[in-house]
Amino acid sequence: MQVQNKIVIVTGSGSGIGAAAAKHFGRHGAKVVVSDIKEEKAKAVSEEIKNAGGEAIAISADVADYKEVKSLIKDTVGQFGRLDVMVNNAGIGPEHLYKTADHTLSDWDNVIAVNQTGVFYCMKLALRQMLEQGNGNIVNIASLAGLKASLNNLSYSASKFAVVGMTKSAALEYASKNIRINAVCPGYTESDLLSKLLNARPDMDEMLKRVIPMNRYGNVEEIAEAIVWLASDNTKFITGQTITLDGGTSL
Ligand SMILES: NC(=O)c1ccc[n+]([C@@H]2O[C@H](COP(=O)([O-])OP(=O)(O)OC[C@H]3O[C@@H](n4cnc5c(N)ncnc54)[C@H](O)[C@@H]3O)[C@@H](O)[C@H]2O)c1
């Protein structure tokens, strides 16, 4: 995949899909900024990339904090001189799975702050740098929940529909500026996020697998493959698109 020497930030890459994407970028010769709210996890993934012969640094940042996102991009440009790819992956789910009338205010505020406002901050500040340098590529991690209804998950659903909307609108705004913006929409994928959901509702495991035509969850490497592909020069004419990886669930 053509990402050699590209400077790439992956938010939330201390675990799960983000960590798999960061390592995949590293294997394909990109220079990776592993970023996470949890510094130790970011450092561990960055070390793994370096031990495998790749180039990486770790920078901790909370994507819901505008100043921290600003520093993340400033420090990246300070270290590498530019920012070619911004992968907006950091995301959380609500603590409680309640229907809308009982959805807690704290779940609403937290999920929207990270999944929606965080993506806005990262896009806004990455775009400023990309406009200045005259090129750029953004890959947002939305969800099947950003394309279809979800039960008991309103804040997450709202935030992921917003990510799809922000992807398409901003892609239109910057298509003529040599900046591409796309999203991937994973279905149920094995990660800490999914484990948390299944720990809260063990009955859902059987039910979820029944609605996935391939009868299994996705794995993080499968999602990482699509992220790196969209970020690469193999996909130069693709912008404003959502790629769904869900084992057929949306069918
Ligand atoms: N796993 C799934 O089934 C699934 C399905 C669809 C979409 N997604 C999306 O994929 C993305 C990655 O999820 P995952 O499944 O790998 O989850 P995960 O919990 O394994 O990883 C999320 C990472 O984000 C970090 N993070 C959390 N809040 C942050 C913040 N404010 N700032 C920076 N980092 C923060 C966490 O520390 C963690 O390392 C999320 O946006 C999620 O909504 C996941």
Side-chain angles (χ1 to χ4, degrees):
M1 228 126 29
Q2 295 169 32
V3 291
Q4 292 84 355
N5 295 317
K6 285 188 188 290
I7 312 304
V8 181
I9 296 176
V10 185
T11 68
S13 50
S15 72
I17 293 170
K23 290 184 226 170
H24 212 49
F25 275 115
R27 278 193 291 272
H28 284 273
K31 298 175 184 176
V32 192
V33 178
V34 181
S35 185
D36 202 281
I37 195 168
K38 295 185 179 152
E39 192 173 8
E40 288 314 309
K41 287 170 80 178
K43 279 187 180 158
V45 172
S46 158
E47 285 307 310
E48 246 188 274
I49 295 172
K50 287 193 278 187
N51 291 339
E55 196 170 330
I57 59 167
I59 301 179
S60 67
D62 174 357
V63 295
D65 183 321
Y66 189 70
K67 281 195 193 131
E68 291 194 19
V69 177
K70 219 170 175 178
S71 300
L72 166 64
I73 290 171
K74 188 167 168 272
D75 293 350
T76 300
V77 175
Q79 174 95 8
F80 294 110
R82 59 182 203 278
L83 170 61
D84 299 310
V85 178
M86 183 85 200
V87 179
N88 296 318
N89 164 79
I92 57 171
E95 287 294 321
H96 313 282
L97 297 173
Y98 294 145
K99 288 198 174 74
T100 302
D102 297 313
H103 203 82
T104 68
L105 299 186
S106 64
D107 269 337
W108 176 268
D109 289 345
N110 293 338
V111 171
I112 297 296
V114 177
N115 295 10
Q116 183 171 338
T117 310
V119 171
F120 165 60
Y121 289 166
C122 289
M123 286 177 72
K124 177 181 167 69
L125 292 165
L127 280 164
R128 287 194 172 174
Q129 171 59 31
M130 289 170 177
L131 284 168
E132 207 176 301
Q133 66 195 27
N135 75 290
N137 190 318
I138 296 176
V139 182
N140 292 326
I141 313 311
S143 172
L144 186 55
L147 301 170
K148 299 270 179 188
S150 328
L151 284 173
N152 307 321
N153 211 4
L154 195 81
S155 53
Y156 191 79
S157 161
S159 69
K160 294 300 186 179
F161 268 83
V163 172
V164 171
M166 290 192 284
T167 300
K168 289 180 180 288
S169 298
L172 180 59
E173 289 174 348
Y174 296 103
S176 65
K177 300 287 183 195
N178 201 23
I179 299 172
R180 301 193 291 116
I181 307 171
N182 292 288
V184 300
C185 295
Y188 298 101
T189 305
E190 281 167 350
S191 73
D192 290 354
L193 193 84
L194 184 65
S195 306
K196 210 171 158 193
L197 175 78
L198 295 177
N199 288 340
R201 289 279 309 277
D203 56 304
M204 281 180 75
D205 184 40
E206 192 57 41
M207 187 195 78
L208 288 180
K209 284 188 181 143
R210 236 183 298 126
V211 301
I212 304 170
M214 289 189 187
N215 303 119
R216 67 166 177 90
Y217 298 125
N219 66 62
V220 292
E221 278 76 25
E222 289 167 327
I223 312 300
E225 191 81 36
I227 295 170
V228 176
W229 182 67
L230 283 172
S232 74
D233 288 342
N234 300 65
T235 54
K236 276 184 173 164
F237 205 44
I238 301 181
T239 198
Q241 301 306 304
T242 57
I243 308 261
T244 306
L245 298 100
D246 66 351
T249 310
S250 51
L251 299 173

